[in-house]
Amino acid sequence: MLKVTQEYLEKISHRRSLREFSDKEVPREVIENIIQAAGAAPSGANKQPWMFCAVSNPEMKKKIRVAAEKEEYEGYHGRMSEEWLEDLKPFGTDWNKPFLEKAPWLIVVFKQVYEIDEMGVRHNNYYVNESVGLACGFLLHAIHEAGLVALTHTPSPMNFLAKELERPANERPFLLIPVGYPEKDALVPNIERKSLRQISQWY
């Protein structure tokens, strides 16, 4: 057990968010397996209040990029605080998001704030944010296990995603995740994760 957890820690410690994607194709079947793995996450009352929209169509990706960059431009030019902008400087980000077109897949995660059955009757979902957050964690782990890279992108606001993908009224955008192979010679910021002492208390 100790050996297994040490090996897992070593492997997952190499997971990094990436903004430089290759356009190399990733088979649909791989993305299907990744999404099904995400669907294995626990959820309140087993409601599974999530929807994963996988986008590979170039025209749709371009529409998403244009809409996302519009919101990002507003963010970088007035919506975001000076402290926020300062915190982002080590990552070298701005409102330009070319990865939204170059990555072979975009997985747009929606949370279902309530459920609509086949008869059109509305039912409650429970602990929606917690459940969908857990599913996204499973998703990112599955992406890493596949040897691919991802970015948890959160343009704010994200309502344009529901419009572009024509999602029903019970769904709200949660995360926009480009998925693919890293670009050759891609770079990531030289940052460190907090230590065990910093993230845990023992009683």
Side-chain angles (χ1 to χ4, degrees), residues 44-152:
N46 196 37
K47 289 285 190 168
Q48 303 171 59
W50 43 66
M51 179 60 64
F52 301 92
C53 295
V55 181
S56 63
N57 180 281
E59 292 182 6
M60 181 62 71
K61 289 195 294 182
K62 183 175 181 61
K63 286 182 179 180
I64 290 174
R65 177 186 177 182
V66 169
E69 287 185 336
K70 180 178 182 295
E71 298 297 348
E72 291 284 348
Y73 184 87
E74 295 294 331
Y76 278 87
H77 295 84
R79 288 179 183 164
M80 300 162 72
S81 68
E82 289 299 321
E83 182 179 9
W84 191 349
L85 293 171
E86 190 66 28
D87 286 339
L88 287 175
K89 279 186 178 179
F91 304 97
T93 63
D94 59 24
W95 62 272
N96 293 285
K97 307 299 177 185
F99 52 77
L100 293 177
E101 280 191 90
K102 191 168 185 181
W105 290 94
L106 303 179
I107 299 179
V108 187
V109 186
F110 288 86
K111 63 180 182 181
Q112 296 177 335
V113 293
Y114 55 90
E115 181 183 359
I116 303 176
D117 66 21
E118 295 178 355
M119 303 298 293
V121 178
R122 177 171 170 165
H123 301 278
N124 290 332
N125 283 334
Y126 310 100
Y127 301 105
V128 172
N129 287 332
E130 294 86 348
S131 300
V132 179
L134 287 165
C136 287
F138 276 47
L139 183 78
L140 292 171
H141 175 72
I143 291 168
H144 183 67
E145 282 290 310
L148 300 171
V149 293
L151 175 69
T152 50

Side-chain angles (χ1 to χ4, degrees), residues 22 90 144 180 185:
S22 165
H144 183 67
D185 300 324

